[in-house]
Amino acid sequence: MKIDMLMPQMGESITEATISKWVKKAGDFVNKDETILEITTDKVDSEIPAPASGILTEVLYAEGDVVPVKNKIAVIDSEGKAVIAPVDKNITVENNVAEPKKVEAEPLASKPVVIDVTEESGDSKFYSPLVKSLAAKHNLSTPELDSLRGSGTAGRVTKEDILDYVERKAKPQVAAPVVTPVSAPSTPVTPKPAVSAKADLPTNQWLPDGTKRVPMDGMRRAIADHMVRSKHTSPHVYTIQEADVSKISKWRAIHKDEFKKREGFGLSFTPFFLEAAVKALQEFPIVNASIDEKTIVYKKDVNLGCAVSIGNTGLIVPVIKKADERNLVGLARGLNDLALKARDKKLTPDEVSGGTFTVTNPGVFGTMIGTPIINQPQSAILCLGAIEKRPVVVDDMIAIRERCYITLSYDHRIIDGAISAQYLAFICNYLANWDMDRGLF
């Protein structure tokens, strides 16, 4: 039986992915759950396992190809018959295993044969298959490629960097036409070089007008598109309340050393807010719902998205599935695990999809009040401000309390101001009345 492999859905906002590497080739025998290929998106790098054991009979896309989700990318013959599709005359079959002959570099557009057009550089730099293909096409040596300063994510060299470098490299070879004036000066004029002393700089250099133009990397483009689409989709409204977190601060101070000794990481304030948010969603399920055209879709589970900053490259929202079934420690574990994976780009597609509600915490960077954009197709997002000690009136006396502002950004098509106010009030009361006798585990 032949089984079609489809490009997986890498997240709710992801519509395509790039094939970064074929681990197996046409004709190879693969075991179920064995990695066949590696793919990458603007947010996730992932290894794709075989859905069944058998012979990989067809490979429909090459390394570097951008493939829409749900498109067929390969075929596995689960009966083990090595019937190799005649996809390229440079592939030979011996003993049911297809081995590629050594061939000259070809453009990645030649499907479905997978050709590694260049070797990896000697250092730890990563180059996408497309970049390696362009480098081979333009005869760029490995040292030459390694010397380029990339404008992509984490300094990676992009297609634009290669093309710009090739263009600048070619300029000195083209002699500029010399225009001789009618009355030539007695002293010959030395023409200016076609390339300045800063020719090796990438395109994002400062220009004479005091500006520089830096192309957006893939993640930033995806975030931009997602945010614009959200504002066009949902009429955003914001409700802000102030929460007293003095009790959870004292409770945390009592238990944080025991927690770190047992769990191996610190107990931050965020899990307390996550627990309160989940309890409030159970009380007000409309905040956990979404819209499908003219229908309100209620969600049985609370799948809690937690925005994680990835340095200067952007952010990602991994999801704690069934957060309503976890206690405080379970939420802290889930948050820590996903945050580490997010920063290492090791999240799986399942870990960045299916969210029903999102919490973001710019307060860790000192933000007092934020009004975040809703993470579609969700209907609301909770924003946590910085926790500060403030003088407040308690029983007609001035007292010092630890407090913070919390904001609910919500879709006014299904959530009204009264519901948003009640939702935030529930969270504030939950935190302010924290049980000080509660155990950690």
Side-chain angles (χ1 to χ4, degrees), residues 12-13 43 223 226-227 229-231 234 236 289-290 303-307 315-319 352-359 372-382 409-410:
E12 293 169 298
S13 63
K43 296 183 178 181
I223 292 173
H226 191 54
M227 295 297 97
R229 184 166 62 253
S230 181
K231 293 293 278 188
S234 300
H236 282 57
S290 63
N303 296 331
L304 202 60
C306 303
L315 59 84
I316 190 170
V317 185
V319 178
V352 293
S353 63
T356 61
F357 182 84
T358 295
V359 177
I373 297 174
I374 298 167
N375 185 20
Q376 297 294 330
Q378 299 167 25
S379 297
I381 179 173
L382 181 68
S409 304
Y410 56 95

Side-chain angles (χ1 to χ4, degrees), residues 10 14 16-18 39-46 219 345:
M10 301 299 291
I14 303 299
E16 60 187 20
T18 302
I39 63 176
T40 184
T41 71
D42 301 327
K43 296 183 178 181
V44 180
D45 291 338
S46 185
M219 176 175 284
K345 296 197 72 177

